[in-house]
Amino acid sequence: MNRLFCFLSLLLVYNNGFSRQIAVEGQPLPAWKEGYLDLHHINTGNGDAACYIFPDGTSMLLDAGENVDPNDKRAGIKFSAIRPDNSRRAYEWIAYYIQQVHPRGRNATLDYALITHFDGDHFGAWYPTAPKSPDGQFSLSGIMGVGALLPIGTMLDRGYPGYSFPRDMYLAAQKAKDSGYRKTLESYRGFLNYGKARGMTVAPFKAGSKTQISLRQPEKFPGFYVQNIKVNGKIWTGRDSSVIEHFTQYNAADPKTWPDENSLSAVLAIHYGPFVYYTGGDCAGNLSYGDPASKDVETPVAKVVGEVDVAVMDHHGNRDAVNEFQVKALKPRVWIGQTWSADHPGHEVLIRMTTPYLYSEPRDIFSTNMLEANRIVIGPLIDRSYKSQQGHILVRVLPGGETYYVIILDDSKKDMPVKAVFGPYQSKKK
């Protein structure tokens, strides 16, 4: 009995010590180590941004939103206030965050950057007070600002090189009355030229590929890969790299058949041993009156993805996303909401994510921001459902992918101390 007690005591000490190496509340985040998969969801209060550090140190930025002028009076009411404060713009805070968590620190570079689709809260919107780039060819906002501060190796998006699906984006923007979006696209084109002149490669995101985004040292971590699932209307079949076309009724001459920008979002899944992570931009799955059936892209995507451990809510958990089929198919242990507006999440979306009638397994839900307006309208379900409602969200997957933690970092402070630690979680396919 005494020997058993000593063994259990030593095991408890060991486990507590190991957990403390993962993160300790109130302390700085322990640095990434080789073998970790770190999935950072950066909260600027101004749109989506996620930075991934793969097991060999390869780095990737997924989206870099900057949707609201920091002087917009709606910030803090309808929209989240900029985090941690307005002493810097959103793109500067994204770059700053990356430098804090990147293995190379202040000398951080990004091996990859992917823009899921062309909405300002995902790639950066032009606004009158945005500063100009060093060469004067583009405005510093979103990915354009981050890319001016941190070198990017390969830039991926859904439209390169022609930007012609479902119609010529640049020509349409020139004809449109919305001069802000026209200026945003012109700024993005100027940024691509700026980056290419400095060695950046630009390429279209390829649905079906599991090699386009790869490790620098793939032989060290054979269980790791990034599976490209969808972009535009092309959806992976689940076999080799073949895809099917979802928008079969598309007619370039008929605007009524054009899919909207959200439905064109790039989707990917990150695999590390048994661990699976899903993120799908602003894909939609719930139809409104008059919508074509093809607007539901979540259902065919969920069919090929299957169960995952961690899922980022499509479209920030908005009412047109996270449909019933997706919830039943993905069954994530962890839901992450990258939210910045008073309509994130939709009340009915939260009900679908929390009900045991769609899947009975436990699930934890985390949000980067929860506005008071949501808490007032939705009510007690918010507090009952969320493990954390405010802060940067890091999913840290341990070597091999069998175990992971969710770590909340304080987004009100520049040094981003650990706010809370959840886990360990065990990957489903262990």
Side-chain angles (χ1 to χ4, degrees), residues 408-429:
I408 309 302
L409 304 179
D410 192 337
D411 60 7
S412 69
K413 300 177 180 178
K414 288 177 61 178
D415 58 350
M416 308 178 308
V418 173
K419 189 176 178 181
V421 182
F422 300 88
Y425 300 92
Q426 299 302 313
S427 298
K428 291 184 176 185
K429 297 178 182 179

Side-chain angles (χ1 to χ4, degrees), residues 3-24:
R3 289 182 178 180
L4 177 61
F5 177 79
C6 290
F7 172 77
L8 292 175
S9 299
L10 288 172
L11 182 62
L12 179 63
V13 170
Y14 171 80
N15 285 337
N16 286 340
F18 189 70
S19 296
R20 289 178 62 83
Q21 290 177 5
I22 300 302
V24 179

Side-chain angles (χ1 to χ4, degrees), residues 218-237:
E219 69 284 352
K220 295 186 69 172
F221 301 95
F224 177 90
Y225 65 96
V226 178
Q227 177 68 61
N228 296 358
I229 304 293
K230 173 200 168 289
V231 70
N232 297 328
K234 292 180 170 51
I235 301 176
W236 181 47
T237 64

Side-chain angles (χ1 to χ4, degrees), residues 43-61:
N43 182 35
T44 66
N46 220 221
D48 275 23
C51 175
Y52 307 145
I53 309 297
F54 296 156
D56 70 341
T58 300
S59 58
M60 176 178 171
L61 176 65

Side-chain angles (χ1 to χ4, degrees), residues 360-378:
S360 59
E361 296 90 335
R363 78 291 313 261
D364 292 344
I365 306 178
F366 302 87
S367 176
T368 51
N369 292 285
M370 186 59 64
L371 273 70
E372 185 61 20
N374 302 63
R375 295 168 60 86
I376 293 171
V377 172
I378 296 178

Side-chain angles (χ1 to χ4, degrees), residues 264-283:
L264 301 171
S265 292
V267 179
L268 58 81
I270 297 176
H271 295 251
Y272 187 24
F275 175 84
V276 185
Y277 166 93
Y278 165 89
T279 184
D282 278 0
C283 285

Side-chain angles (χ1 to χ4, degrees), residues 206-246:
K206 296 179 181 178
S209 175
K210 64 183 290 187
T211 59
Q212 184 178 37
I213 300 170
S214 61
L215 299 179
R216 293 195 300 267
Q217 299 175 291
E219 69 284 352
K220 295 186 69 172
F221 301 95
F224 177 90
Y225 65 96
V226 178
Q227 177 68 61
N228 296 358
I229 304 293
K230 173 200 168 289
V231 70
N232 297 328
K234 292 180 170 51
I235 301 176
W236 181 47
T237 64
R239 302 183 304 274
D240 48 65
S241 59
S242 62
V243 297
I244 58 172
E245 178 57 51
H246 179 69

Side-chain angles (χ1 to χ4, degrees), residues 31-359:
W32 170 92
K33 297 178 181 179
E34 184 174 78
Y36 284 178
L37 168 61
D38 277 3
L39 305 167
H40 293 268
H41 305 83
I42 306 170
N43 182 35
T44 66
N46 220 221
D48 275 23
C51 175
Y52 307 145
I53 309 297
F54 296 156
D56 70 341
T58 300
S59 58
M60 176 178 171
L61 176 65
L62 182 81
D63 287 335
E66 187 165 354
N67 198 41
V68 182
D69 186 320
N71 299 311
D72 193 313
K73 294 181 180 179
R74 294 172 295 175
I77 302 174
K78 180 179 179 181
F79 303 139
S80 299
I82 192 167
R83 310 292 288 186
D85 57 48
N86 61 6
S87 64
R88 305 186 191 191
R89 297 173 188 267
Y91 76 87
E92 294 175 300
W93 283 125
I94 294 171
Y96 172 85
Y97 184 106
I98 293 170
Q99 289 175 322
Q100 306 314 300
V101 303
H102 195 283
R104 297 180 62 185
R106 292 182 178 273
N107 297 317
T109 60
L110 292 164
D111 295 292
Y112 299 95
L114 167 63
I115 298 304
T116 58
H117 64 294
F118 296 109
D119 281 339
D121 60 324
H122 289 261
F123 84 122
W126 175 89
Y127 51 90
T129 62
K132 282 289 189 180
S133 62
D135 64 357
Q137 298 304 303
F138 58 98
S139 295
L140 299 178
S141 173
I143 188 61
M144 290 79 80
V146 175
L149 295 174
L150 304 178
I152 297 172
T154 299
M155 182 77 217
L156 305 170
D157 66 35
R158 75 161 192 82
Y160 187 83
Y163 300 95
S164 57
F165 184 80
R167 78 281 197 201
D168 187 317
M169 291 174 55
Y170 285 98
L171 181 61
Q174 289 173 0
K175 294 180 178 179
K177 295 180 181 180
D178 184 359
S179 61
Y181 193 63
R182 173 175 55 81
K183 291 177 180 178
T184 297
L185 288 179
E186 291 173 349
S187 184
Y188 183 65
R189 178 155 54 187
F191 161 68
L192 293 183
N193 292 334
Y194 171 89
K196 287 190 287 187
R198 288 158 177 77
M200 182 175 77
T201 298
V202 186
F205 183 78
K206 296 179 181 178
S209 175
K210 64 183 290 187
T211 59
Q212 184 178 37
I213 300 170
S214 61
L215 299 179
R216 293 195 300 267
Q217 299 175 291
E219 69 284 352
K220 295 186 69 172
F221 301 95
F224 177 90
Y225 65 96
V226 178
Q227 177 68 61
N228 296 358
I229 304 293
K230 173 200 168 289
V231 70
N232 297 328
K234 292 180 170 51
I235 301 176
W236 181 47
T237 64
R239 302 183 304 274
D240 48 65
S241 59
S242 62
V243 297
I244 58 172
E245 178 57 51
H246 179 69
F247 298 117
T248 56
Q249 303 301 313
Y250 163 73
N251 181 350
D254 183 3
K256 292 181 181 179
T257 69
W258 295 351
D260 63 12
E261 187 61 36
N262 287 348
S263 298
L264 301 171
S265 292
V267 179
L268 58 81
I270 297 176
H271 295 251
Y272 187 24
F275 175 84
V276 185
Y277 166 93
Y278 165 89
T279 184
D282 278 0
C283 285
N286 295 298
L287 303 180
S288 298
Y289 299 116
D291 284 343
S294 60
K295 186 174 181 180
D296 174 10
V297 295
E298 285 185 328
T299 295
V301 165
K303 286 179 179 179
V304 73
V305 172
E307 291 193 28
V308 303
D309 296 288
V310 178
V312 177
M313 299 176 203
D314 286 341
H315 200 190
H316 325 280
N318 215 318
R319 288 175 173 81
D320 67 347
V322 194
N323 72 11
E324 181 177 308
F325 185 88
Q326 186 197 61
V327 174
K328 291 191 293 186
L330 300 187
K331 299 180 181 178
R333 180 65 177 86
V334 169
W335 286 101
I336 293 175
Q338 293 183 276
T339 55
W340 55 269
S341 174
D343 50 3
H344 305 157
H347 191 172
E348 60 273 46
V349 173
L350 186 55
I351 291 172
R352 284 195 294 274
M353 289 191 297
T354 55
T355 178
Y357 293 99
L358 294 184
Y359 68 104

